Amino acid sequence: MKKDILILLFLGVLLFPSSALAQEQIRAYSGFERFIDNAKMLFSFGDKKVVLALDIREKELNSAIANTKNGNSEGAELNLERAKKRLQYVQNKVSKNIADDVKTNIDETINRINEEEDLPDNFETYILEEEKTQLTAELVDKVTGKEEQNLTREIIKDSKSGESRVEITVGGNEVRTEVREIKMRIDTIDKVIEAGKNTIDTFPKHKDNEDVSPPTQYFDNKVDDIFLGPGMAEPGTVDKD
């Protein structure tokens, strides 16, 4: 009898961490935790700050899912807006050094969102921002270090809606086809987000009016005033990093 009890207790110890982790993944992101993370952003720089922004965005996303399941749709929407703001920071600052890590992180995040059931349409719109971030990392990886190409990123604020987005420009003497196609996919996402749609129906045209094929892995899918700390470009400021 004692042996059976000991076995049950042992199994309980083994199972507890995984169940606790599952609860941790969907719990709400507290105001105190957000305050601490904002302070960390203030004193972080370079690639470490980008990684921290991704981590904070994950916490906001988890909180958005938790609030959705608890019936707090307004809280969930605010979480998603904050998460988008962090993604915009990543878009503006991701470097070649961590581009692969960023792409992998976003793959995992989108897969996790798609595994959730009965999420509202605003999560599908949010996924577009995740994908834009991944494409930006891919673009940085392909352009950085290429003498014939240069890449600039700047924060653009819409005069009507007041919302901000990261605008990416690729220039140089010769822009390779693969780079041009990534850039067009990013531009398409921007247009869809601005139009308030949840899916992409039309892709840009080549000069010969042939449709650009959708990417092989296309995800089906009012920013608040959180402080990002130094290093985040102001609206209209060209990012030199």
Side-chain angles (χ1 to χ4, degrees):
M1 181 68 177
K2 290 182 178 180
K3 184 177 181 180
D4 293 338
I5 294 175
L6 289 174
I7 292 175
L8 290 174
L9 289 174
F10 179 71
L11 290 174
V13 171
L14 290 178
L15 294 175
F16 176 77
S18 60
S19 61
L21 179 60
Q23 294 177 359
E24 173 73 14
Q25 289 179 337
I26 61 172
R27 71 182 181 85
Y29 185 30
S30 71
F32 179 73
E33 289 175 304
R34 186 175 292 111
F35 173 80
I36 296 298
D37 285 337
N38 284 341
K40 290 180 180 178
M41 283 289 290
L42 180 61
F43 294 103
S44 299
F45 303 93
D47 292 341
K48 290 183 178 179
K49 190 166 184 174
V50 173
V51 173
L52 179 57
L54 281 176
D55 182 56
I56 295 174
R57 146 297 220 139
E58 183 175 358
K59 293 178 182 178
E60 294 287 4
L61 177 59
N62 289 340
S63 191
I65 294 173
N67 278 328
T68 297
K69 293 183 177 181
N70 293 331
N72 183 4
S73 58
E74 292 184 2
E77 181 64 29
L78 183 58
N79 288 134
L80 289 179
E81 289 174 358
R82 288 169 172 159
K84 289 176 186 177
K85 188 71 173 179
R86 297 303 181 182
L87 287 176
Q88 288 176 349
Y89 180 84
V90 176
Q91 293 165 17
N92 199 35
K93 294 295 183 180
V94 59
S95 71
K96 184 178 178 66
N97 294 334
I98 59 171
D100 286 339
D101 293 335
V102 170
K103 288 186 286 184
T104 299
N105 179 285
I106 291 174
D107 261 339
E108 294 171 350
T109 299
I110 293 177
N111 289 336
R112 189 164 62 82
I113 295 174
N114 289 332
E115 289 173 357
E116 295 287 341
E117 297 181 355
D118 301 323
L119 291 179
D121 290 344
N122 56 350
F123 280 86
E124 294 182 4
T125 305
Y126 169 78
I127 285 178
L128 293 176
E129 201 72 55
E130 289 273 354
E131 184 180 354
K132 178 183 175 181
T133 308
Q134 187 178 56
L135 289 171
T136 302
E138 185 176 352
L139 194 62
V140 168
D141 187 40
K142 292 185 180 300
V143 172
T144 303
K146 306 294 183 182
E147 294 182 359
E148 74 277 8
Q149 295 175 341
N150 58 73
L151 183 147
T152 59
R153 291 169 277 179
E154 58 183 326
I155 303 298
I156 301 297
K157 188 170 184 178
D158 187 272
S159 59
K160 294 182 179 179
S161 67
E163 294 187 356
S164 298
R165 62 180 174 83
V166 177
E167 184 172 274
I168 300 168
T169 304
V170 180
N173 297 328
E174 181 180 351
V175 179
R176 289 169 294 152
T177 301
E178 59 180 341
V179 171
R180 183 169 60 252
E181 289 183 352
I182 294 172
K183 178 61 169 60
M184 286 196 302
R185 287 156 64 189
I186 291 174
D187 290 344
T188 301
I189 290 175
D190 281 338
K191 291 177 182 177
V192 172
I193 292 175
E194 289 175 4
K197 299 178 181 178
N198 294 325
T199 57
I200 293 180
D201 301 318
T202 306
F203 282 81
K205 306 283 187 178
H206 283 304
K207 291 183 179 180
D208 56 6
N209 285 329
E210 292 183 0
D211 284 325
V212 176
S213 299
T216 54
Q217 184 179 1
Y218 201 88
F219 304 110
D220 54 356
N221 348 102
K222 318 169 186 173
V223 178
D224 69 354
D225 57 354
I226 56 177
F227 179 59
L228 293 176
M232 183 62 176
E234 295 297 327
T237 302
V238 176
D239 178 16
K240 300 298 184 181
D241 293 352

